[in-house]
Amino acid sequence: MSDTATAFAPASIGNVAVGFDMLGLALEGAGDRVTATRRDAAGITIAEVRDLDGEPHRDLPTRADENTASIAARALWDEHGESGGVELRIFKGVPLQSGMGSSAASAVAATVAVNALLESPLETTDLLPYALEGEKYASGGTHADNVAPSLLGGLILCPPALLPEVIRLSVPEGVSSVVLHPDLQVNTEQARRGLADACSMEQWLTQQGYLAGFVAACASSDLAMIGRTLKDIVIEPQRTAALPYFEAVRDAAIGAGALGCSLSGSGPSIFALCDDQQAPELASAMAQACRGFKIECQTWISSMSAPGARLET
Ligand code: HSE
């Protein structure tokens, strides 16, 4: 049993357009890192939160009851920890309020790191409920569409009705995800509060059909069917009305060959799925469209089988 452990957890695309609150995809290239160290004093504390440049993070609290990482870590330690406590060091690589699962990545990395300090560590899949505690604090709801892919990697179906059970889905061959993050922030809790609490039977039927079709198309690598089904007719229209660049970025993605394009989580980031070969061109077309609105942005290209959280030595 070690006294210290560091874990990395990747960013993720929540909803993946078709599955509001129940479908998530892990991303390569961006993530959070948490180092957990045993301390004699009881409880979970945060020693520091740093940004990508190694500077103290300007916007994130080091109070343990206000940070998703420590809240998740505490949930695990309270149930499975021994005497003493744990001190966390958090290194944020995922931009805040980006729609890329920033709070989930911190919660997952903390959970995986603290798990490694336990006398009898849990299986990775059994860490989900603890990481979800952190996410619940951040977004005000129990949805695992960021936490589950960040923890497990790949494409994960995680309907709230089935939690903590989740289902790993097959990913299509030869398809990449592209994420564009405009230099803006959207607060997920607020974005959720603004949603209509009902949809029509016709919308429900259509969206259900898209989700079922998308899941089947991923399993059979049917790219044409992915293109027909990667759509959100219920949530996306409600959220994108406030994002003036959305339509232009989506049109640029589709124009460059995307199979589909939608908001990543609650935004402001936008993701597209496309043929691997087209991903670099797609990313640059999306970025150019975004900059046309004088909004700076960053893009990531990822395999759909991006790995989930892991311990680092
Ligand atoms: N599925 C949630 C939402 C979280 O869209 O509000 C996304 O990150």
Side-chain angles (χ1 to χ4, degrees):
M1 195 170 55
S2 165
D3 275 347
T4 187
T6 297
F8 173 87
S12 53
I13 298 169
N15 302 330
V16 198
V18 276
F20 178 66
D21 275 2
M22 65 178 85
L23 189 62
L25 180 64
L27 275 174
E28 260 166 356
D32 288 356
R33 193 165 266 113
V34 172
T35 297
T37 307
R38 278 178 165 280
R39 295 287 180 231
D40 291 336
I44 305 291
T45 55
I46 300 176
E48 57 178 1
V49 186
R50 293 192 180 269
D51 63 23
L52 270 182
D53 302 320
E55 298 296 324
H57 206 289
R58 281 181 309 171
D59 304 316
L60 277 177
T62 50
R63 284 180 51 104
D65 53 355
E66 291 179 1
N67 192 297
T68 61
S70 40
I71 289 169
R74 186 167 55 203
L76 178 63
W77 190 255
D78 281 354
E79 260 185 53
H80 297 277
E82 299 87 38
S83 59
V86 177
E87 182 184 75
L88 303 178
R89 298 193 133 72
I90 303 166
F91 305 93
K92 289 295 300 176
V94 186
L96 292 193
Q97 304 195 332
S98 58
M100 294 169 61
S102 176
S103 50
S106 289
V108 168
T111 311
V112 172
V114 169
N115 188 47
L117 304 185
L118 301 179
E119 210 166 297
S120 308
L122 278 60
E123 293 293 326
T124 304
T125 45
D126 295 333
L127 295 176
L128 187 74
Y130 305 101
L132 270 176
E133 286 299 314
E135 178 70 323
K136 207 190 298 180
Y137 170 79
S139 70
T142 305
H143 49 86
D145 53 323
N146 290 117
V147 165
S150 180
L151 181 65
L152 304 171
L155 180 64
I156 305 288
L157 186 66
C158 48
L162 302 184
L163 292 175
E165 203 169 320
V166 301
I167 300 153
R168 175 179 299 286
L169 298 178
S170 301
V171 297
E173 278 169 34
V175 178
S176 292
S177 63
V178 177
V179 173
L180 173 133
H181 171 240
D183 194 10
L184 300 168
Q185 293 190 333
V186 166
N187 178 296
T188 299
E189 191 176 6
Q190 280 170 17
R192 294 175 72 78
R193 248 188 268 133
L195 293 174
D197 56 11
C199 69
S200 71
M201 179 65 87
E202 189 184 340
Q203 286 174 311
W204 184 76
L205 267 175
T206 304
Q207 196 61 49
Q208 288 240 98
Y210 286 155
L211 177 58
F214 179 77
V215 169
C218 282
S220 61
S221 295
D222 181 343
L223 302 204
M225 184 55 78
I226 289 175
R228 283 187 64 191
T229 54
L230 188 62
K231 293 183 180 138
D232 170 7
I233 61 157
V234 177
I235 308 294
E236 180 190 293
Q238 298 182 53
R239 286 177 165 169
T240 54
L243 306 175
Y245 56 90
F246 176 77
E247 222 171 293
V249 172
R250 184 192 52 199
D251 290 351
I254 300 294
L259 300 169
C261 178
S262 184
L263 282 182
S264 179
S266 58
S269 295
I270 298 174
F271 85 96
L273 297 185
C274 64
D275 185 298
D276 291 340
Q277 309 295 324
Q278 290 171 312
E281 197 184 320
L282 207 92
S284 90
M286 291 168 75
Q288 196 180 342
C290 184
R291 291 190 182 115
F293 286 77
K294 307 250 177 300
I295 300 171
E296 205 30 69
C297 58
Q298 204 180 346
T299 57
W300 288 266
I301 295 172
S302 175
S303 151
M304 284 186 75
S305 350
R310 59 261 188 195
L311 283 170
E312 295 179 330
T313 47

